[in-house]
Amino acid sequence: MIKRGALWAFLFILSACAEDQVSGVSEYVFQSTVCVTNSQPIPFVNDTEEEMVIEGVAVSAGTDPYGNFSLQDVVVADTSLSAEGASFSNIRIPAGEDYQFQVSYTPKTSGGHSAVIDVVYRAPLTGVRQLHLTGMADGTGPVGCIVADEGAPVDISGEAAFTITKLVAATSKISQPLSSEDGVRPLDPVSIEMTLDATAGTAMMEQIKEGSFILPRPRENVEILGGNILQDTMLSTSGDARGTYDDSKGSLKIDNLVVTLNGDFNTTITTTLTTDEVSLKTLSTPLVAEAIASFGSRHYDSVGKRIFGKRIDPLTGAVVLVGTTTIQSSTLDPGANSMFDDMSGTTMAILIEGTIVKKGSDSTP
């Protein structure tokens, strides 16, 4: 990502409750553009006569739901320590030494953002210093940049129906995506029972039974896959899948969904699907650009190498789930084209489009 902008306001207020305690607030304001990173150091000094121990540093839970801010590393004197899971623990600063936290601001949406970083001191001072971060971003990001879906409150709790109307899978092996839009016949919408608990913040998606989800084989004029995939692909899941749900913004995540694809290539994958974003940078092998571009400009950020879902629309129930996976093993069906042999190690990105509505509503299938 491009680094730009500068830290344009700094205010530090520190009050000592007692000689061996520390508390206070530091306020910082960042400025950037959607999809563009502004990374800045936040400096401090150990002005005690003893080694200082910081027990932990992390973005306070719930203060930055879209992940606009992140901790990159901490520098003590001339030594840089990288963050582990976007947090630090057991940092030791010699007496009199400088230390600084490197904080990045990569806005997902335009407008204002905020977050709080908690710095927990253990010795010789104890207490918590809070870093209050404020970001201002405009929406004129680079070409290919996607402004994330902020979502809106959704009135769904209890039994619901998830109707799948589109599926696209891009891989690191083939430049043409496997898409329901390329089938010899239209995809028959697949309705899956769900339970969304707004109070507990949980989601449960019932098992997709074998034979209930049929992805038609591609038409013969479809590049690469047409004529090479000879059978329809049957999708099923190993059982009920669970995850999280936030009705205040319509976000949904289904964890560790085990999917079996039977057809020309028989394989089982495990993936997590989300209505938010997924980084492609962690994939062991990169996806073919032409294949992932099939997700469309609203769901693929070619600049930041991310894919985006779409949170549940409060009026229509429209939703898009995305996820990634790596095929561990696969078996070529007898008579299938050898181009699908040895799919193991192939990375895959998945996009599922559909609607989620309350059971009993007028639009329930």
Side-chain angles (χ1 to χ4, degrees):
M1 298 295 285
I2 303 170
K3 294 184 179 181
R4 69 158 253 205
L7 183 67
W8 56 265
F10 170 79
L11 170 65
F12 175 67
I13 306 169
L14 180 64
S15 60
C17 300
E19 289 186 359
D20 60 347
Q21 290 184 327
V22 61
S23 65
V25 173
S26 303
E27 295 186 358
Y28 304 85
V29 180
F30 291 74
Q31 195 172 34
S32 192
T33 298
V34 176
C35 295
V36 176
T37 298
N38 171 7
S39 184
Q40 296 291 338
I42 297 180
F44 295 99
V45 62
N46 176 12
D47 55 7
T48 73
E49 297 180 353
E50 302 178 44
E51 179 185 65
M52 177 177 286
V53 179
I54 297 177
E55 185 174 356
V57 186
V59 176
S60 185
T63 64
D64 184 24
Y66 300 115
N68 295 297
F69 295 92
S70 63
L71 282 162
Q72 299 299 306
D73 55 36
V74 60
V75 178
V76 178
D78 296 324
T79 302
S80 177
L81 305 173
S82 298
E84 296 182 4
S87 64
F88 301 94
S89 61
N90 194 32
I91 303 169
R92 296 178 177 271
I93 303 110
E97 286 288 2
D98 296 332
Y99 62 101
Q100 64 182 27
F101 304 109
Q102 192 76 16
V103 177
S104 69
Y105 172 56
T106 310
K108 308 295 194 305
T109 61
S110 59
H113 308 103
S114 63
V116 175
I117 293 177
D118 294 324
V119 184
V120 182
Y121 291 82
R122 187 172 65 195
L125 307 175
T126 60
V128 179
R129 171 182 284 159
Q130 289 192 324
L131 314 180
H132 285 206
L133 313 177
T134 300
M136 299 296 295
D138 65 54
T140 57
V143 175
C145 167
I146 298 176
V147 177
D149 178 14
E150 295 189 31
V154 175
D155 183 22
I156 302 178
S157 190
E159 293 185 350
F162 177 26
T163 302
I164 298 175
T165 56
K166 178 180 176 180
L167 183 145
V168 183
T171 73
S172 60
K173 187 173 182 179
I174 304 172
S175 60
Q176 178 69 21
L178 180 64
S179 173
S180 60
E181 295 187 329
D182 293 333
V184 294
R185 62 185 183 279
L187 172 70
D188 288 330
V190 181
S191 185
I192 304 167
E193 301 290 314
M194 297 192 75
T195 301
L196 302 178
D197 189 329
T199 301
T202 59
M204 188 277 289
M205 188 175 80
E206 291 190 3
Q207 180 182 13
I208 302 174
K209 296 182 179 179
E210 189 173 356
S212 63
F213 193 141
I214 302 174
L215 183 64
R217 69 185 187 278
R219 300 183 303 274
E220 288 193 6
N221 63 350
V222 173
E223 183 182 355
I224 300 176
L225 300 183
N228 286 321
I229 292 184
L230 306 178
Q231 306 175 66
D232 294 341
T233 299
M234 308 289 184
L235 282 81
S236 60
T237 60
S238 63
D240 297 344
R242 302 181 185 277
T244 56
Y245 168 60
D246 185 346
D247 69 327
S248 69
K249 54 191 178 185
S251 64
L252 173 68
K253 185 171 75 167
I254 302 297
D255 296 312
N256 300 318
L257 183 68
V258 181
V259 183
T260 297
L261 299 91
N262 284 327
D264 281 39
F265 44 92
N266 304 315
T267 185
T268 297
I269 61 174
T270 301
T271 186
T272 292
L273 299 175
T274 178
T275 55
D276 292 328
E277 68 175 87
V278 178
S279 173
L280 303 179
K281 295 179 180 179
T282 59
L283 295 178
S284 56
T285 52
L287 297 166
V288 180
E290 295 88 345
I292 192 63
S294 65
F295 279 25
S297 60
R298 293 185 179 181
H299 301 290
Y300 171 47
D301 172 13
S302 59
V303 175
K305 302 302 179 186
R306 298 172 294 172
I307 52 177
F308 290 82
K310 180 185 184 300
R311 294 175 177 174
I312 304 169
D313 187 290
L315 298 178
T316 65
V319 65
V320 177
L321 291 158
V322 294
T324 60
T325 188
T326 300
I327 298 175
Q328 300 300 320
S329 62
S330 63
T331 303
L332 189 69
D333 191 70
N337 193 296
S338 61
M339 69 179 293
F340 304 118
D341 195 12
D342 193 22
M343 295 287 287
S344 60
T346 299
T347 54
M348 179 184 293
I350 302 164
L351 178 145
I352 298 176
E353 188 174 297
T355 58
I356 296 178
V357 296
K358 288 192 295 187
K359 293 298 292 291
S361 66
D362 293 340
S363 54
T364 302

